Amino acid sequence: MSKDKNIQINISIPGHWRTELENLARIYSVEEETTLTYIDLIRRAIKEKYELNDNGGAA
């Protein structure tokens, strides 16, 4: 049985990055007509940078 397994990681970022990412998330939320958080932006950036897919591994 294959089950999607998510893991949680903890990272530290400079405080001003969070503020900037929250502002960007608000802008993207309006443009894309959806709710995005700064964490969503981090996930998206990692996924795009390393060409990962949602099924595990590279695309």
Side-chain angles (χ1 to χ4, degrees):
M1 173 176 12
S2 176
K3 204 175 205 184
D4 184 31
K5 295 182 181 182
N6 292 324
I7 63 165
Q8 181 176 334
I9 61 170
N10 295 312
I11 64 168
S12 295
I13 61 172
H16 69 276
W17 285 17
R18 179 178 175 171
T19 303
E20 290 181 39
L21 288 169
E22 287 173 332
N23 290 335
L24 285 171
R26 285 187 197 98
I27 292 167
Y28 282 114
S29 291
V30 171
E31 289 177 357
E32 298 179 13
E33 298 179 353
T34 188
T35 301
L36 291 171
T37 66
Y38 75 98
I39 298 295
D40 295 324
L41 295 184
I42 293 171
R43 282 189 199 106
R44 184 183 289 184
I46 292 169
K47 182 178 177 181
E48 290 176 8
K49 169 68 178 175
Y50 296 102
E51 298 177 2
L52 302 173
N53 64 35
D54 291 333
N55 299 329

